[in-house]
């Protein structure tokens, strides 16, 4: 706003005759115990005093220009000369209170009922860096940060089209966190967008701190074990998902965006797969799938063939396994349980400890403790090889949350193998498949094949008309296919 528009700006401040409706004393009472709240008088003219109300820790003065003059009594008079920024708006007590908490400045008179909300926010944020939880082999070397506007800008830079739509709201009665739902008009199913927005509007919580908590509240009852959707820090993965018909949920205060709906197969596809030749990408996907099978079933298969189904082995293998267990006092399933538990403890210690000492702790736990436990005849040499292989295959998974699920499922399948052997492994596999088939992610089946060239087509979900039939075909091809 230029200085010549001061009159029209001040005309929006409504005066009231009731002292109980004055905006200034109500805001001062609301923030009376906040040490960083400031009520600055910027005018002492006879027409009435004007005040700027703001948090010194959140607001900046880049958009405001002041004049300092002398009063007749040798005092200094500070006046607001001009405001440079986005368009201002008038608001009542509730709107002004929310605006101050969001880092904005409220301009009001001593006896006015409303205030003018000025955009003077100075959000604290870090610079763009590489994603911390996803290693970038090929692609953009920057990731999302904790600032909502910056994350939206990164997506807009890669999706320069008017078809990219954004629906915004705030969640949390106390935190008032901004949440945005992004989708491509004409590609994303409108029923999916309507369902997601309705789920967000239905959230009744005092505060939400991270996108993981938001995802749990958006899709309640879908699964207590498997993640309902993919969370990522990479803008290229987000834009690729938008082109495939998915929706993106961006939340202020966290660098992790939600890609929904989620499919079991999405957690095994890396963003780099689309940048490589088709044969290499197909090989890597099969490598991850085989690593998943080894991670889940190798310890259980070892227990089954060495303690329950011994007749399935060749004589040489049985003799080798028995020789490696000579002097071990515990049954095979207890021995395996001890090693898997120690492995999980070492992995968790390496994640939680400071980086300067985490490598030392993991080395001591993996080498020294492993050698000592073998010499003490607590576990066998062959089991150490099994557990080490299981540990390596656990870290091939692309998504960290799915890696945590694998660590839990190993114990479930191990329990089945220790009771009825190989048959228990197949029983646990059947239970796992049935459980996965009953999970829905935002109205879409969790086992829906989503692959190259496929589109998300959710069911009508009872929100819009049309066919309730939902089908997707997963073509195992060498290319990504042609986007429809």
């Amino acid at each position: 706003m230029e200085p010549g528009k001061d009159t029209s700006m001040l005309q929006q401040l409504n005066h009231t005759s009731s002292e109980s409706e004055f905006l200034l004393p109500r805001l001062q009472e609301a923030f009376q115990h906040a040490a960083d709240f400031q009520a600055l008088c910027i005018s002492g003219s006879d027409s009435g005093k004007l005040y700027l109300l703001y948090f010194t820790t959140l607001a900046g003065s880049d958009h405001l220009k002041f004049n300092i003059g002398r009063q007749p009594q040798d005092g200094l008079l500070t006046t607001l000369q001009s405001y440079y920024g986005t368009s201002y708006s008038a608001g009542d007590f509730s709107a002004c209170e929310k605006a101050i908490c969001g880092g904005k400045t409220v301009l009001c008179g001593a006896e006015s009922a409303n205030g003018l909300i000025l955009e003077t926010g100075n959000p604290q944020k870090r610079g763009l860096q590489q994603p911390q939880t996803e290693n970038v082999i090929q692609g953009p070397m920057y990731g999302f940060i904790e600032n909502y506007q910056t994350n939206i800008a990164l997506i807009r830079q890669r999706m320069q089209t008017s078809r990219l739509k954004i629906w915004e709201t705030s969640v949390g009665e106390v935190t008032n966190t901004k949440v945005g739902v992004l989708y491509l008009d004409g590609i994303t199913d409108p029923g999916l967008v309507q369902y997601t927005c309705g789920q967000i509007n239905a959230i009744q919580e005092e505060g939400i701190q991270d996108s993981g908590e938001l995802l749990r509240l958006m899709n309640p009852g879908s699964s207590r074990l498997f993640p309902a959707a993919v969370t990522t820090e990479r803008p290229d993965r987000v834009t690729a998902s938008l082109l495939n018909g998915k929706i993106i949920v961006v939340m202020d205060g966290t660098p992790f965006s939600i890609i929904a709906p989620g499919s079991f197969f999405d957690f095994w596809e890396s963003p780099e797969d689309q940048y490589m030749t088709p044969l290499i990408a197909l090989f890597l996907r099969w490598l991850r799938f085989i690593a998943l099978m080894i991670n889940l079933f190798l310890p259980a298969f070892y227990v089954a063939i060495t303690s329950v189904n011994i007749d399935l082995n060749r004589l040489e293998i049985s003799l080798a396994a028995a020789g490696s267990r000579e002097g071990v006092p515990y049954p095979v399933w207890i021995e395996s349980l001890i090693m898997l538990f120690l492995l999980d403890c070492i992995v968790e210690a390496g994640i939680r400890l400071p980086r300067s000492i985490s490598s030392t702790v993991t080395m001591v736990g993996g080498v020294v403790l492993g050698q000592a436990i073998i010499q003490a005849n607590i576990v066998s040499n062959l089991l150490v090889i099994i557990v080490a292989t299981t540990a390596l295959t656990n870290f091939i998974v692309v998504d960290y949350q799915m890696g945590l699920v694998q660590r839990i499922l190993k114990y479930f399948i191990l329990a089945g193998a220790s009771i009825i052997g190989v048959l228990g492994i197949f029983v646990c596999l059947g239970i796992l498949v049935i459980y996965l088939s009953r999970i829905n992610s935002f109205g879409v089946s969790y086992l829906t094949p989503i692959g190259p060239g496929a589109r998300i087509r959710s069911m009508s979900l009872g929100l819009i008309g049309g066919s309730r039939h939902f089908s997707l075909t997963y073509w195992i091809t060498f290319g990504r296919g042609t986007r429809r």
Side-chain angles (χ1 to χ4, degrees), residues 65-119:
K65 186 176 181 181
F66 294 93
N67 265 349
I68 300 179
R70 284 193 173 275
Q71 289 182 334
Q73 295 81 13
D74 294 333
L76 293 179
L77 176 64
T78 303
T79 58
L80 178 63
Q81 178 182 358
S82 58
Y83 163 68
Y84 299 95
T86 57
S87 59
Y88 54 88
S89 61
D92 56 5
F93 169 76
S94 178
C96 291
E97 181 186 21
K98 185 179 297 185
I100 293 176
C101 292
K104 300 179 181 180
T105 298
V106 172
L107 175 64
C108 68
E111 299 180 354
S112 59
N114 298 329
L116 294 178
I117 301 174
L118 310 179
E119 182 63 56

Side-chain angles (χ1 to χ4, degrees), residues 340-360:
L340 291 177
F341 179 75
L342 289 178
L343 174 64
D344 285 335
C345 290
I346 294 173
V347 171
E348 195 67 18
I351 295 174
R352 304 301 174 186
L353 287 174
R355 295 183 180 179
S356 57
I357 62 175
S358 61
S359 58
T360 304

